[in-house]
Amino acid sequence: MTLARPVAVPAANPMLPVPLRIHAGRRELADTFTVELEPPEEGGFPFRPGQFNMLYVFGVGEVPISISGDPARPDTLIHTVRAVGAVTERMRGLKPGDTIGVRGPFGSAWPVAEAEGDDLVFVAGGLGLAPLRPAIYHALRNRGRYGRVFVLYGARTPGDILYRRELERWRGRFDMEVAVTVDRADPSWAGNVGVVTKLVDRARFDPLHTTAFVCGPEIMMRYAVAELEKRGVAGDAVHVSMERNMKCAVGFCGHCQWGPAFICKDGPVFRYADIAAIFNIREL
Amino acid sequence: MVRVDTLERTIEEHPFFQGIDAPLRALLVGCAANERFEAGGFLFREGGAADKFYLIRSGCVAIELNAPGRPPLVVETVDDGQILGWSWLVAPYRWSFDARATALTRAVSFDGKCLRGKMEADHRLGYELLRRFVPVMGDRLAAARLQMLDLYGPDGKGKA
Amino acid sequence: MAMAPGDTAILARADFDALVAALAADGRRVIGPTVRQAAVAYDAIAGSADMPVGLADEQGPGRYRLVEAGDGRLFGYTLAPQGWKRQLWPPLQRLFAAERDGGGFRVTDDGSAAPEPAAFLGVRACELAAVRVQDRTFDETFTDPGYVARRQAALIVGVTCARACATCFCASMGTGPGLAGGFDLALTELVDDGGHRFLVEVGSELGAAVLARVPTRAATPADEAAAARQTQAVADSQSRRMDTETARRLQEHPEHPRWAETALRCLNCGNCTQVCPTCFCTTTEDSTDIGGNRTERTRRWDSCYSIDFSYIHGGSVRTSGAARYRQWITHKLSTWHDQFGVSGCVGCGRCITWCPVGIDITEEVAAVRDSETGGTGHGSGRHA
């Protein structure tokens, strides 16, 4: 397997968090919130779409969270977080003015430059829309460089649609297509009910000139990739974002290994063709 | 009065029926009818006799399960160009869900009871229909299973 | 006499403590072999009296014993249970300390305190190879400043093994028994008609400077020949072999039945990861004082065998014993190449010795190779 190493951002000691102040916070869903941090004064916090930070809550611990903001706006640092454990629950309780320790940015990026000239298909499931959003922002900011743009999003129920207002705004544009589906709903929902793979099946992109970025639960990504292949998109034009347990994000703790890859250094974004051989191995 | 040749064109052009020869097509046209459902109208109800299947021309149909004490649960929506209904093929030929139009829906319905008889008599017709329906059922099954996993739920291996 | 890298000399047994004193002279903590709880451990020593004089080790699958050899050798044992990883990548490392500061916090200790200079006395060829493997882990895309500092602060005195244990297979891994560079000084202990002495090879200017303070005499061709013979005999005597070619390809066999088979024996105890000199996995821990105002983050050894090593979103990825066993052996022998350009295994055999059920990594690979070639699948790594 060829593993492409990212351009690393070296730090004198990569394990020291930089305290950044919370500028604003917002509730997104019942268990999901967004924090906006004030970056360091000089130069802001530059990052590439798809990268993540280790966010540290004083005295509690650290978690890896994808950056969800606009890469063209390094003057603000945005993370969307789901409260699932001790660290993220405590983070949810923080207020503007409080501090979060930040290490990063780490990891590989969605190859937005390589995709220029292609149709772009973003396939997102659940919270997977958060790591994709920076790439969507990039595509919209540089709209002329891409063909047709599709955002295909699946959520659990209508109440779990992340960034709903933004999706509705995007849907109103004339230069992109947005399709949303949910796994289940009650009759007050007049939109689609069904799996997100069905949206892939129905989106009119040109498979021979398409780059697809897929992000969501692993099972969903497997099925989405299969659907894209069925439509004729080549494996080297499909990219996925993987997740594993992380304790350091710099290749020292060993926890994030996935076959030969370190998710923190070789990923989290992978070209599907590079990892196809291990993608379906159980308990890897 | 419905013109038979527009039905014929619909059936001829639809990918689901691709590859069917003229005699079989004519047979299908003979069993077909145009139908229209206002928003909120039911195409079929759970437990009812499953004697039809539908090709949705336009609109949207919610496949629903009704349980006491809670609002109906929509498990899938079917819209333009999709096939709806396979219970007509499987004894005891009863619908296992409700199908409710969520918007003005136009569909072509096919008389399943009539087709069942014809398929018994002409196994070639039987094969042609079954080999088109099995993938539809397969897709629905796979989709249903994925939805069952509740992937985006807090412990359903959703992203953190 | 001013010596240069590559030069050799003879150090008499009687003058060995002078070497220890010379190592300690610059304020270095001399860490060498000593006996703790019936095993050899590397700890601070003052001289030869602290060393396992006249002791040898018998090692086999799941077995380790120290026995009297009666030859007075200082380095007659072959391999301590744990190598120099304890010194360079300690089991507990403080990453930083911080305290609350208004609404924020401030780092009060960034873990950059300079380590104590040390001299590692008695580094075996396989151990030195392991250190160099770990160098690639901690100075790769990112650098761990603590590791680099400890590494630079350690003077290395290697020692060539005088005998091999039944579990050793460094010869087939190409990592020993001879020492090939990377040391400041290297010793080969000789006990024969020429007397009890050490052939010393200078590996660096630092080593030359230390040796200059110690009485030595010139090495004769007979001394050199005796050392070469001894080392060759050690290589020849090794009964275990690693099929490195098959080992490298283990990642091509994710569903090999051998993993499930061996998993029935494997206790997932993680002993192998604790004694392996190249294993590096750690976890982080945060602890706070009662008031919640001061906190400390530490790094401590972990093992891929621990059940929540791979925990995400409410469950672990590798729950079965077979998956965790597969992870360890495939990483060590195969994917390590993809990650670091070398094998993770240096042929020290500790994992065989310290496995309570005696799982033999060379036998595992031989079994996979045999199944590829249609063999019985129960071949051993043992040389006929």
Side-chain angles (χ1 to χ4, degrees):
Chain A
M1 145 181 334
T2 13
L3 300 172
R5 285 283 144 80
V7 173
V9 176
N13 182 346
M15 295 301 290
L16 289 182
V18 174
L20 296 184
R21 206 169 288 285
I22 298 176
H23 173 70
R26 174 184 354 160
R27 178 192 179 280
E28 300 277 1
L29 305 171
D31 59 356
T32 306
F33 60 96
T34 292
V35 279
E36 225 178 284
L37 301 173
E38 288 168 15
E41 272 171 29
E42 283 193 35
F45 199 98
F47 69 97
R48 293 182 306 147
Q51 290 193 302
F52 68 98
N53 283 328
M54 289 299 269
L55 298 185
Y56 170 69
V57 174
F58 183 87
V60 186
E62 244 186 358
V63 286
I65 306 284
S66 296
I67 305 173
S68 293
D70 186 346
R73 299 260 332 265
D75 55 311
T76 182
L77 182 58
I78 298 176
H79 294 276
T80 297
V81 184
R82 186 177 210 166
V84 290
V87 181
T88 47
E89 288 285 0
R90 185 71 80 86
M91 204 184 289
R92 171 154 69 163
L94 297 178
K95 305 266 178 299
D98 289 339
T99 296
I100 291 180
V102 177
R103 294 195 294 117
F106 298 117
S108 55
W110 302 110
V112 288
E114 183 190 305
E116 286 179 11
D118 274 356
D119 289 349
L120 279 181
V121 178
F122 297 94
V123 187
L127 196 52
L129 186 53
L132 277 172
R133 192 169 70 165
I136 299 173
Y137 284 151
H138 175 91
L140 296 180
R141 236 178 230 286
N142 300 278
R143 188 64 189 89
R145 300 192 197 166
Y146 301 98
R148 304 179 70 185
V149 173
F150 300 81
V151 174
L152 309 174
Y153 179 56
R156 193 163 173 246
T157 70
D160 295 301
I161 295 173
L162 185 62
Y163 307 143
R164 182 165 180 160
R165 292 238 183 83
E166 199 159 22
L167 282 164
E168 288 171 348
R169 271 206 306 278
W170 287 341
R171 199 156 181 279
R173 290 173 65 133
F174 302 127
D175 58 357
M176 69 191 289
E177 289 188 37
V178 175
V180 173
T181 188
V182 294
D183 278 352
R184 70 184 70 143
D186 62 43
S188 66
W189 168 255
N192 292 317
V193 177
V195 279
V196 68
T197 47
K198 187 160 132 186
L199 301 181
V200 174
D201 178 54
R202 297 165 76 88
R204 298 288 125 227
F205 52 83
D206 176 1
L208 296 179
H209 301 286
T210 287
T211 298
F213 298 141
V214 182
C215 189
E218 218 166 298
I219 311 171
M220 170 247 157
M221 289 198 290
R222 284 209 304 268
Y223 279 89
V225 166
E227 195 64 40
L228 287 161
E229 280 193 319
K230 205 164 103 181
R231 284 286 309 272
V233 182
D236 62 3
V238 176
H239 305 267
V240 296
S241 182
M242 296 299 296
E243 248 192 307
R244 283 292 187 269
N245 185 303
M246 268 187 205
K247 291 288 191 290
C248 74
V250 292
F252 297 156
C253 74
H255 284 240
C256 73
Q257 289 175 82
W258 180 47
F262 285 88
I263 302 287
C264 66
K265 298 193 291 185
D266 305 302
V269 176
F270 289 92
R271 187 183 303 270
Y272 176 70
D274 289 345
I275 46 89
I278 62 171
F279 202 47
N280 291 297
I281 298 176
R282 284 192 203 169
E283 293 194 85
L284 195 66
Chain B
M1 175 65 194
V2 170
R3 289 181 52 185
V4 169
D5 64 66
T6 56
L7 273 177
E8 175 150 11
R9 191 151 8 109
T10 302
I11 290 163
E12 188 176 4
E13 286 167 2
H14 196 278
F16 187 73
F17 294 112
Q18 203 169 56
I20 269 205
D21 65 18
L24 287 181
R25 201 181 314 127
L27 205 152
L28 281 167
V29 170
C31 297
N34 265 320
E35 296 203 44
R36 170 204 163 105
F37 301 92
E38 300 296 330
F42 284 88
L43 283 78
F44 52 80
R45 308 295 298 250
E46 182 186 338
D51 287 338
K52 287 183 183 176
F53 72 94
Y54 299 86
L55 162 57
I56 308 297
R57 290 173 57 201
S58 68
C60 184
V61 179
I63 300 175
E64 278 179 3
L65 252 186
N66 213 315
R70 46 175 296 175
L73 184 67
V74 178
V75 293
E76 187 163 6
T77 52
V78 173
D79 58 10
D80 301 15
Q82 290 193 277
I83 298 292
L84 172 65
W86 47 265
S87 299
W88 66 279
L89 278 170
V90 183
Y93 315 121
R94 296 235 163 262
W95 295 117
S96 42
F97 294 97
D98 293 344
R100 178 180 55 81
T102 62
L104 173 65
T105 297
R106 297 183 203 280
V108 178
S109 68
F110 294 82
D111 182 343
K113 196 161 172 195
C114 163
L115 277 171
R116 279 201 296 267
K118 296 202 160 119
M119 283 160 74
E120 263 310 307
D122 177 355
H123 286 176
R124 199 167 58 91
L125 170 67
Y127 172 70
E128 289 296 326
L129 280 173
L130 278 173
R131 84 171 172 89
R132 286 169 169 78
F133 267 92
V134 170
V136 170
M137 292 155 79
D139 279 350
R140 296 272 150 81
L141 182 60
R145 283 172 167 168
L146 276 182
Q147 283 165 257
M148 246 173 77
L149 279 174
D150 194 20
L151 287 174
Y152 312 130
D155 284 330
K157 313 302 169 200
K159 302 270 279 178
Chain C
M1 58 189 155
M3 302 188 74
D7 291 348
T8 56
I10 291 290
L11 173 72
R13 166 66 179 95
D15 294 322
F16 189 84
D17 285 330
L19 174 62
V20 179
L23 290 169
D26 295 324
R28 288 183 185 276
R29 189 161 170 259
V30 179
I31 300 169
T34 189
V35 178
R36 292 257 182 284
Q37 296 174 308
V40 176
Y42 298 138
D43 206 342
I45 58 169
S48 54
D50 295 333
M51 295 175 66
V53 182
L55 292 179
D57 48 1
E58 287 176 1
Q59 299 196 33
R63 188 173 190 280
Y64 176 98
R65 293 286 186 280
L66 281 181
V67 295
E68 294 283 349
D71 55 10
R73 280 179 179 266
L74 297 182
F75 297 102
Y77 73 95
T78 297
L79 208 56
Q82 291 206 331
W84 302 95
K85 184 172 80 166
R86 280 197 89 85
Q87 315 300 329
L88 294 171
W89 188 243
L92 209 55
Q93 301 167 29
R94 172 189 263 207
L95 292 173
F96 66 84
E99 62 183 29
R100 285 203 191 277
D101 187 2
F105 65 87
R106 148 182 96 76
V107 171
T108 52
D109 171 7
D110 61 2
S112 66
E116 228 189 308
F120 295 170
L121 176 57
V123 180
R124 305 286 167 164
C126 62
E127 295 180 324
L128 188 49
V131 169
R132 296 171 94 177
V133 168
Q134 285 215 321
D135 288 346
R136 293 170 184 245
T137 305
F138 301 122
D139 200 357
E140 210 258 344
T141 310
F142 295 93
T143 300
D144 185 74
Y147 178 87
V148 168
R150 287 186 293 269
R151 179 77 164 93
Q152 280 165 1
L155 186 156
I156 297 195
V157 181
V159 69
T160 316
C161 296
R163 48 178 284 281
C165 281
T167 46
C168 295
F169 56 99
C170 65
S172 70
M173 293 304 297
T175 52
L179 286 148
F183 51 82
D184 296 292
L185 291 170
L187 307 172
T188 306
E189 188 173 21
L190 298 168
V191 178
D192 59 20
D193 297 338
H196 190 167
R197 62 206 187 286
F198 300 87
L199 178 68
V200 187
E201 184 185 339
V202 174
S204 71
E205 284 181 19
L206 179 58
V210 168
L211 198 59
R213 301 188 210 129
V214 178
T216 57
R217 65 156 172 81
T220 65
D223 293 321
E224 308 260 11
R229 261 196 319 272
Q230 180 177 266
T231 305
Q232 187 58 49
V234 172
D236 294 342
S237 73
Q238 288 188 9
S239 56
R240 279 183 163 78
R241 278 207 186 345
M242 172 65 77
D243 174 353
T244 52
E245 203 269 318
T246 304
R248 203 180 167 141
R249 289 188 292 100
L250 283 189
Q251 60 183 286
E252 294 167 19
H253 297 285
E255 306 297 344
H256 200 283
R258 183 72 182 192
W259 311 142
E261 247 177 72
T262 304
L264 294 174
R265 299 162 56 204
C266 172
L267 307 176
N268 287 163
C269 69
N271 264 14
C272 49
T273 57
Q274 303 299 289
V275 296
C276 173
T278 62
C279 272
F280 59 86
C281 287
T282 55
T283 187
T284 49
E285 275 175 352
D286 295 90
S287 57
T288 327
D289 67 351
I290 295 260
N293 293 314
R294 276 196 287 266
T295 192
E296 183 180 68
R297 171 159 259 247
T298 49
R299 172 193 267 156
R300 68 167 169 77
W301 284 4
D302 198 353
S303 170
C304 56
Y305 280 103
S306 49
I307 189 65
D308 53 8
F309 184 82
S310 57
Y311 180 91
I312 47 167
H313 312 310
S316 291
V317 173
R318 296 177 209 124
T319 41
S320 71
R324 285 175 278 153
Y325 172 68
R326 173 184 73 186
Q327 166 64 20
W328 176 74
I329 196 172
T330 306
H331 184 209
K332 189 62 55 185
L333 298 178
S334 183
T335 56
W336 208 285
H337 284 276
D338 297 85
Q339 296 171 350
F340 304 113
V342 281
S343 176
C345 176
V346 294
C348 71
R350 283 184 179 93
C351 53
I352 305 172
T353 297
W354 294 99
C355 174
V357 298
I359 292 168
D360 179 342
I361 198 176
T362 62
E363 192 177 283
E364 295 299 293
V365 171
V368 171
R369 180 203 55 231
D370 287 349
S371 70
E372 280 177 345
T373 57
T376 60
H378 292 290
S380 83
R382 256 171 250 115
H383 184 54

